Amino acid sequence: MIRILLAEDEPAMRTYLARALENAGYEVVAVDRGTAALPWLQGERFDLLLSDIVMPEMDGIELAQRCAEISPHTKVMFITGFAAVTLKASREAPQARVLSKPFHLRDLVMEVQRVFGQPTQASI
């Protein structure tokens, strides 16, 4: 089973995204900030880090950079509601995909399926 580490500081969005991904068949560990994600990356294997970019304590870009050091096999996808931040993310983590808010849960699931080369069929 594909394991996803979700870092999202907004509680409602975190719950919403985790539930959608779990319903699509993924195993999800959800945390509320980048600094909370680091111990998970150090102690367990994840196939995907799905991170908001703008978060307190450690932003998603720094988290992705740390992830690349700790767990280089883990793919990265960003979610953000800020267009300017999207440009920065593309520049600093060019291998990462960026999904801009607002998006439909179907789009998120389809994007995750694409990352892993799975047939894209929305199950939402």
Side-chain angles (χ1 to χ4, degrees):
M1 177 179 284
I2 291 174
R3 296 189 75 217
I4 299 173
L5 178 58
L6 169 64
E8 166 63 61
D9 61 320
E10 184 185 318
M13 179 65 83
R14 186 172 57 251
T15 299
Y16 185 64
L17 297 175
R19 188 172 299 137
L21 292 166
E22 288 166 349
N23 288 342
Y26 300 106
E27 182 180 335
V28 179
V29 172
V31 297
D32 64 353
R33 60 192 175 283
T35 52
L38 290 177
W40 283 99
L41 287 170
Q42 292 166 336
E44 297 197 29
R45 180 180 174 90
F46 289 93
D47 302 293
L48 176 67
L49 169 63
L50 177 60
S51 178
D52 191 1
I53 295 177
V54 179
M55 295 184 290
E57 296 179 20
M58 175 186 290
D59 69 24
I61 294 171
E62 183 180 349
L63 175 59
Q65 292 167 339
R66 297 286 301 275
C67 178
E69 296 165 8
I70 297 167
S71 181
H73 68 275
T74 301
K75 298 178 186 311
V76 177
M77 183 185 302
F78 294 121
I79 48 179
T80 186
F82 301 95
V85 174
T86 299
L87 296 173
K88 181 180 179 193
S90 297
R91 202 172 43 249
E92 296 191 25
Q95 74 287 1
R97 298 203 183 194
V98 180
L99 193 59
S100 295
K101 296 176 189 175
F103 53 82
H104 191 282
L105 289 177
R106 177 181 343 114
D107 298 329
L108 171 65
V109 170
M110 288 174 55
E111 200 57 38
V112 170
Q113 290 169 338
R114 278 190 205 101
V115 165
F116 292 105
Q118 299 172 318
T120 53
Q121 47 188 332
S123 55
I124 307 281

